[in-house]
Coordinates of all heavy atoms in Angstrom, one line a residue:
L20 N 27.2 120.4 -19.8 CA 27.3 121.5 -20.6 C 26.4 122.5 -20.1 O 25.2 122.4 -20.0 CB 27.0 121.1 -22.1 CG 27.6 119.9 -22.7 CD1 27.0 119.5 -24.0 CD2 29.2 119.9 -22.7
V21 N 26.9 123.7 -19.8 CA 26.1 124.8 -19.3 C 26.5 126.2 -20.0 O 27.6 126.3 -20.6 CB 26.4 124.9 -17.8 CG1 26.0 123.6 -17.0 CG2 27.8 125.4 -17.4
K22 N 25.7 127.2 -19.8 CA 26.1 128.5 -20.2 C 27.0 129.1 -19.1 O 26.7 128.9 -18.0 CB 24.8 129.4 -20.4 CG 23.8 128.8 -21.4 CD 22.6 129.6 -21.5 CE 21.6 129.1 -22.6 NZ 21.1 127.7 -22.2
S23 N 28.1 129.7 -19.6 CA 29.0 130.3 -18.5 C 28.3 131.1 -17.6 O 27.6 132.1 -18.0 CB 30.2 130.9 -19.3 OG 30.9 130.0 -20.1
S24 N 28.6 131.0 -16.3 CA 28.0 131.9 -15.3 C 29.1 132.2 -14.3 O 30.1 131.5 -14.2 CB 26.8 131.3 -14.7 OG 27.0 130.0 -14.2
E25 N 28.8 133.1 -13.3 CA 29.7 133.4 -12.3 C 29.8 132.2 -11.3 O 28.8 131.6 -10.9 CB 29.3 134.6 -11.6 CG 30.2 135.2 -10.5 CD 29.7 136.4 -9.9 OE1 28.8 137.1 -10.3 OE2 30.3 136.8 -8.8
V26 N 31.0 132.0 -10.9 CA 31.3 130.9 -9.9 C 32.1 131.5 -8.7 O 32.9 132.4 -9.0 CB 32.0 129.6 -10.5 CG1 31.0 129.0 -11.5 CG2 33.2 130.1 -11.2
N27 N 32.1 130.8 -7.6 CA 32.8 131.3 -6.5 C 33.3 130.0 -5.7 O 32.6 129.1 -5.4 CB 32.0 132.1 -5.5 CG 31.5 133.4 -6.2 OD1 32.3 134.3 -6.4 ND2 30.2 133.5 -6.5
G28 N 34.6 130.1 -5.3 CA 35.1 128.9 -4.6 C 34.5 128.9 -3.2 O 34.3 129.9 -2.5
G29 N 34.3 127.6 -2.7 CA 33.8 127.4 -1.4 C 34.2 126.1 -0.8 O 34.9 125.3 -1.5
D30 N 33.9 125.8 0.5 CA 34.2 124.6 1.1 C 35.8 124.5 1.2 O 36.5 125.3 1.6 CB 33.7 123.4 0.5 CG 33.7 122.2 1.3 OD1 33.6 122.2 2.6 OD2 33.7 121.0 0.7
D31 N 36.4 123.3 0.7 CA 37.8 123.3 0.6 C 38.4 123.7 -0.7 O 39.6 123.4 -1.0 CB 38.2 121.9 0.9 CG 37.6 120.8 0.0 OD1 36.9 121.2 -1.0 OD2 37.9 119.6 0.1
A32 N 37.8 124.5 -1.5 CA 38.2 125.0 -2.8 C 38.6 126.5 -2.5 O 37.7 127.3 -2.0 CB 37.2 124.9 -3.8
A33 N 39.9 126.9 -2.7 CA 40.3 128.2 -2.5 C 39.7 129.2 -3.4 O 39.4 130.3 -3.1 CB 41.9 128.2 -2.7
Q34 N 39.5 128.8 -4.7 CA 38.7 129.6 -5.6 C 38.3 128.7 -6.8 O 38.7 127.6 -7.0 CB 39.6 130.7 -6.1 CG 40.9 130.3 -6.9 CD 41.7 131.4 -7.6 OE1 41.1 132.3 -8.1 NE2 43.0 131.4 -7.3
A35 N 37.3 129.2 -7.6 CA 36.7 128.5 -8.7 C 36.9 129.4 -9.9 O 36.7 130.6 -9.8 CB 35.3 128.2 -8.5
Q36 N 37.2 128.9 -11.0 CA 37.4 129.7 -12.2 C 37.2 129.0 -13.5 O 37.4 127.7 -13.6 CB 38.9 130.2 -12.1 CG 39.2 131.2 -13.2 CD 40.7 131.7 -13.1 OE1 41.1 132.0 -11.9 NE2 41.4 131.8 -14.1
W37 N 36.7 129.7 -14.6 CA 36.6 129.1 -15.9 C 37.9 129.2 -16.6 O 38.5 130.3 -16.6 CB 35.5 129.8 -16.6 CG 34.1 129.6 -16.1 CD1 33.4 130.4 -15.4 CD2 33.3 128.5 -16.4 NE1 32.2 129.9 -15.1 CE2 32.0 128.7 -15.8 CE3 33.4 127.2 -17.2 CZ2 31.0 127.8 -15.8 CZ3 32.4 126.4 -17.2 CH2 31.2 126.6 -16.5
F38 N 38.4 128.1 -17.3 CA 39.6 128.1 -18.0 C 39.3 127.7 -19.4 O 38.4 126.8 -19.7 CB 40.6 127.1 -17.5 CG 41.3 127.6 -16.3 CD1 40.8 127.5 -15.1 CD2 42.6 128.2 -16.5 CE1 41.5 127.9 -13.9 CE2 43.3 128.6 -15.3 CZ 42.8 128.5 -14.0
S39 N 39.9 128.4 -20.4 CA 39.7 128.0 -21.8 C 40.4 126.5 -21.9 O 41.4 126.3 -21.3 CB 40.6 128.9 -22.7 OG 40.6 128.4 -24.1
V40 N 39.8 125.7 -22.7 CA 40.2 124.2 -22.8 C 41.6 124.2 -23.3 O 42.3 123.1 -23.1 CB 39.2 123.4 -23.6 CG1 38.0 123.3 -22.9 CG2 39.0 124.0 -25.0
D41 N 42.1 125.2 -24.1 CA 43.5 125.1 -24.6 C 44.5 125.8 -23.7 O 45.6 126.0 -24.1 CB 43.5 125.6 -26.0 CG 43.0 127.0 -26.2 OD1 42.6 127.6 -25.2 OD2 43.1 127.5 -27.3
K42 N 44.0 126.3 -22.6 CA 44.9 127.0 -21.6 C 44.7 126.4 -20.2 O 45.0 127.1 -19.2 CB 44.6 128.5 -21.7 CG 44.9 129.2 -22.9 CD 44.5 130.6 -22.9 CE 44.8 131.3 -24.3 NZ 44.3 132.7 -24.4
V43 N 44.4 125.2 -20.1 CA 44.3 124.6 -18.8 C 45.6 124.2 -18.2 O 46.5 123.7 -18.8 CB 43.4 123.3 -18.9 CG1 43.4 122.5 -17.6 CG2 42.0 123.6 -19.4
P44 N 45.9 124.6 -17.0 CA 47.1 124.3 -16.4 C 47.2 122.8 -16.0 O 46.2 122.0 -16.1 CB 47.1 125.1 -15.0 CG 45.7 125.2 -14.8 CD 45.0 125.3 -16.1
Q45 N 48.4 122.3 -15.6 CA 48.5 121.0 -15.1 C 47.7 120.7 -13.9 O 47.6 121.5 -13.0 CB 50.0 120.6 -14.7 CG 50.1 119.1 -14.4 CD 51.6 118.9 -14.0 OE1 52.4 119.6 -14.2 NE2 51.9 117.6 -13.6
L46 N 46.8 119.6 -14.0 CA 45.8 119.3 -13.0 C 46.2 118.3 -12.0 O 47.2 117.6 -12.2 CB 44.5 118.9 -13.7 CG 44.0 119.8 -14.8 CD1 42.7 119.2 -15.4 CD2 43.5 121.2 -14.2
A47 N 45.6 118.3 -10.8 CA 45.9 117.4 -9.7 C 45.5 116.0 -10.1 O 44.6 115.9 -11.0 CB 45.3 117.8 -8.5
F48 N 45.9 115.0 -9.3 CA 45.4 113.6 -9.4 C 45.6 113.2 -10.9 O 46.7 113.4 -11.5 CB 44.0 113.5 -9.0 CG 43.7 113.9 -7.6 CD1 43.1 115.2 -7.3 CD2 44.1 113.3 -6.4 CE1 42.9 115.7 -6.0 CE2 43.9 113.7 -5.2 CZ 43.3 114.9 -4.9
D49 N 44.6 112.5 -11.4 CA 44.6 112.0 -12.9 C 43.6 112.9 -13.7 O 43.1 112.4 -14.7 CB 44.2 110.6 -13.0 CG 42.8 110.2 -12.4 OD1 42.3 111.1 -11.7 OD2 42.3 109.2 -12.5
H50 N 43.4 114.2 -13.3 CA 42.4 115.0 -13.9 C 42.8 115.4 -15.3 O 41.9 115.7 -16.1 CB 42.1 116.2 -13.0 CG 41.3 115.8 -11.8 ND1 40.8 116.7 -10.9 CD2 41.0 114.6 -11.2 CE1 40.2 116.1 -9.9 NE2 40.4 114.8 -10.0
D51 N 44.0 115.4 -15.6 CA 44.5 115.7 -17.0 C 43.9 114.6 -17.9 O 43.4 114.8 -19.1 CB 46.0 115.7 -17.2 CG 46.5 117.0 -16.5 OD1 46.2 118.1 -16.9 OD2 47.5 116.8 -15.7
Y52 N 44.0 113.4 -17.5 CA 43.5 112.2 -18.2 C 41.9 112.3 -18.4 O 41.4 111.9 -19.4 CB 44.0 110.9 -17.6 CG 43.4 109.7 -18.2 CD1 43.6 109.4 -19.5 CD2 42.5 108.9 -17.5 CE1 43.1 108.2 -20.1 CE2 41.9 107.7 -18.0 CZ 42.2 107.4 -19.3 OH 41.6 106.3 -19.9
I53 N 41.3 112.6 -17.3 CA 39.8 112.7 -17.3 C 39.4 113.8 -18.2 O 38.4 113.6 -18.9 CB 39.3 113.0 -15.8 CG1 39.6 111.8 -14.9 CG2 37.9 113.4 -15.8 CD1 39.2 112.1 -13.4
L54 N 40.1 114.9 -18.3 CA 39.8 116.0 -19.2 C 39.9 115.5 -20.6 O 39.0 115.8 -21.5 CB 40.6 117.2 -19.0 CG 40.5 118.4 -19.9 CD1 39.0 118.8 -19.9 CD2 41.4 119.4 -19.7
R55 N 40.9 114.8 -20.9 CA 41.1 114.2 -22.4 C 40.0 113.2 -22.7 O 39.4 113.4 -23.8 CB 42.4 113.5 -22.5 CG 43.7 114.4 -22.4 CD 44.9 113.7 -22.9 NE 45.3 112.5 -22.1 CZ 46.1 112.6 -21.1 NH1 46.6 113.8 -20.7 NH2 46.4 111.5 -20.3
E56 N 39.5 112.5 -21.8 CA 38.4 111.5 -22.0 C 37.1 112.3 -22.1 O 36.2 112.0 -22.9 CB 38.3 110.6 -20.8 CG 39.4 109.6 -20.8 CD 39.5 108.7 -22.0 OE1 38.5 108.0 -22.4 OE2 40.6 108.8 -22.6
A57 N 37.0 113.4 -21.4 CA 35.7 114.2 -21.5 C 35.7 115.0 -22.9 O 34.6 115.1 -23.5 CB 35.7 115.3 -20.4
M58 N 36.9 115.3 -23.3 CA 36.9 116.0 -24.7 C 36.6 115.0 -25.8 O 35.9 115.3 -26.8 CB 38.3 116.7 -24.9 CG 38.5 117.9 -24.1 SD 37.3 119.3 -24.5 CE 37.5 119.5 -26.3

């Protein structure tokens, strides 16, 4: 849990971005399930 701050994509990430938890797009791998568990 952090205070929102500026982020920038790097390494093999094309970009990094903050998303509202109720507007998250479909995620790769099993990350949709991981997000539900995190919530």
Side-chain angles (χ1 to χ4, degrees):
L20 311 175
V21 302
K22 300 175 181 65
S23 296
S24 59
E25 183 177 350
V26 291
N27 297 285
D30 195 29
D31 56 356
Q34 60 176 315
Q36 185 177 321
W37 292 99
F38 282 82
S39 171
V40 292
D41 58 0
K42 297 178 182 177
V43 172
Q45 183 177 354
L46 302 179
F48 305 103
D49 58 349
H50 290 187
D51 290 303
Y52 173 63
I53 293 177
L54 178 58
R55 290 196 297 272
E56 292 299 301
M58 287 300 300

